[in-house]
Amino acid sequence: MKHSYIEALGLTKEYLKGEQCITPLAGLSMEVFPAEFIALMGPSGSGKTTLLNIIAGVDSPSSGSLRIGDSHLDQMNRDQLTSWRSRNIGYIFQLYHLLPVLSAYENVELPLLIHSMKKKERRARVEAVMEQVGLVDRMNHRPNELSGGQEQRVAIARALVTDPSLIVADEPTGDLDRQSADEILDLLQSLSEVQKRTIVMVTHDPKAAARASRLLELEKGKLLQSK
């Protein structure tokens, strides 16, 4: 029997906005299996990014349980979540979040600086992931010297450099032209199919969602259907 890698049971997230109680997640349950490439779709306000942030350990649910691998995230405090996230999560953002004063190499190296690792080992890790995303020849360029597609490749390399077990991606192709978007989706598919990494991606783009191995649709904080 295949065991799930992510198991969410009754996830609810509530917060106050003024005097109004907002509920972006309302008792959501889901399973994701190892090496799956999951696409999350739904209208604005459906809870996609909230769910992604809870899965990534950036936020915590108000109630419900969340297990990823052998770790129970709903039982962790903020410091424990931060430590867990640094070891297990690679986060890819729509707008890249690269530091403009750093080179591509230095941006990718950043997540390794909080780990006790020798400079030689860091360099080997960075060069390996830069080769993987096809940007070895652009390592010394700053973000303003790169195209949008190249910047997103740098962001993916940064997400991979700590060798995370889970990659979460929030609209990773939303700011790219079709050709660049297709190249990024090719790379994500390869990470899932060849490297057997688990990926959870939020997208509004049906063409991007079609590249995933499974589609989960959300509306008003609940899962509608699985395809």
Side-chain angles (χ1 to χ4, degrees), residues 126-155:
V126 173
E127 289 179 349
V129 294
M130 291 298 275
E131 182 174 357
Q132 193 175 335
V133 302
L135 284 181
V136 171
D137 61 333
R138 308 291 283 178
M139 286 198 302
N140 295 319
H141 289 69
R142 291 187 178 182
N144 65 356
E145 299 172 311
L146 303 173
S147 69
Q150 288 171 335
E151 286 187 89
Q152 190 60 292
R153 285 174 177 267
V154 173

Side-chain angles (χ1 to χ4, degrees), residues 45-151:
S46 60
K48 304 182 302 297
T49 297
T50 299
L51 175 59
L52 198 71
N53 284 337
I54 289 175
I55 288 172
V58 174
D59 200 357
S60 298
S62 303
S63 61
S65 65
L66 175 62
R67 176 186 58 78
I68 298 182
D70 295 325
S71 301
H72 293 269
L73 273 64
D74 56 287
Q75 298 174 14
M76 295 182 185
N77 61 34
R78 187 179 296 273
D79 288 344
Q80 290 170 329
L81 280 174
T82 298
S83 176
W84 177 87
R85 188 170 65 245
S86 72
R87 298 190 311 272
N88 294 281
I89 297 293
Y91 209 127
I92 303 168
F93 304 90
Q94 177 179 348
L95 298 178
Y96 325 132
H97 288 203
L98 303 179
L99 294 180
V101 298
L102 300 182
S103 67
Y105 177 95
E106 291 166 332
N107 269 284
V108 174
E109 184 187 32
L110 267 180
L112 298 178
L113 297 179
I114 64 172
H115 298 276
S116 55
M117 187 179 293
K118 292 182 179 178
K119 187 174 181 179
K120 185 177 181 181
E121 185 181 353
R122 288 202 308 270
R123 173 165 283 278
R125 284 270 196 107
V126 173
E127 289 179 349
V129 294
M130 291 298 275
E131 182 174 357
Q132 193 175 335
V133 302
L135 284 181
V136 171
D137 61 333
R138 308 291 283 178
M139 286 198 302
N140 295 319
H141 289 69
R142 291 187 178 182
N144 65 356
E145 299 172 311
L146 303 173
S147 69
Q150 288 171 335
E151 286 187 89

Side-chain angles (χ1 to χ4, degrees), residues 149 152-153 156 172-173 176 180-188:
Q152 190 60 292
R153 285 174 177 267
I156 291 173
T173 61
L176 301 176
S180 297
D182 285 341
E183 291 172 357
I184 294 303
L185 291 166
D186 287 343
L187 182 53
L188 292 176

